[in-house]
Amino acid sequence: MYLSIFLTAFLAATILPAQSEFVVVAAQRMEYDVWIIWWLASVGNTLGSVVNYILGRFLVQYQDRRWFPFKPASLARGHQWFERFGKWSLLMAWAPFIGDPLTFIAGMLRLSFWQFLTLVFISKSGRYAILLGITQMF
């Protein structure tokens, strides 16, 4: 189950369609260690965002290709967030629809990798802490 948590969280942060919340909550309901669940989901999801950062850093010149993973509209939305909030916009990396483009754009703009990693980990780990905290109450 622990490997499933990590892999699902990892895939959920990449361009591949996946949802990690169900696996995280299911593991918690099956009484797996909540701290290990939180850690694996947070690290897996953060590393998935690192994939987007690397894609943004090295594959941006192919954005006009049909196979390119992000649609122009989502890139434009992410770029607007970055223009408005700068690197702090990465604190929204957990958010559906905007989080993945934000992490991609951070790579495009060559944001310091360590700043990227720190802000994205805060975002992702906070999200899982809230999710686990809410489900713990019920």
Side-chain angles (χ1 to χ4, degrees):
M1 180 55 108
Y2 287 131
L3 181 60
S4 296
I5 294 166
F6 177 83
L7 290 176
T8 305
F10 177 86
L11 291 173
T14 65
I15 57 174
L16 299 173
Q19 294 294 333
S20 60
E21 293 83 5
F22 177 75
V23 175
V24 167
V25 171
Q28 184 181 22
R29 294 281 183 221
M30 292 189 299
E31 300 184 6
Y32 282 85
D33 187 306
V34 71
W35 293 107
I36 296 174
I37 295 169
W38 172 80
W39 178 251
L40 290 173
S42 298
V43 170
N45 212 242
T46 299
L47 291 176
S49 291
V50 168
V51 170
N52 294 338
Y53 176 90
I54 291 168
L55 288 173
R57 187 128 189 189
F58 298 107
L59 295 181
V60 69
Q61 67 264 23
Y62 300 109
Q63 65 184 319
D64 60 336
R65 305 286 168 87
R66 218 172 47 191
W67 54 263
F68 194 72
F70 293 101
K71 304 236 182 294
S74 65
L75 281 180
R77 210 170 29 247
H79 207 257
Q80 287 172 338
W81 273 85
F82 242 95
E83 285 179 0
R84 186 168 181 191
F85 301 108
K87 66 184 175 189
W88 303 108
S89 63
L90 289 172
L91 292 174
M92 293 298 294
W94 64 269
F97 306 109
I98 191 141
D100 293 345
L102 282 173
T103 58
F104 181 86
I105 289 167
M108 266 177 56
L109 298 176
R110 299 186 178 275
L111 181 70
S112 158
F113 178 74
W114 296 112
Q115 287 180 348
F116 167 85
L117 195 62
T118 300
L119 291 169
V120 169
F121 183 77
I122 289 168
S123 172
K124 304 290 189 161
S125 63
R127 169 185 173 218
Y128 286 113
I130 291 168
L131 174 66
L132 290 165
I134 288 171
T135 56
Q136 188 76 26
M137 292 188 302
F138 299 104

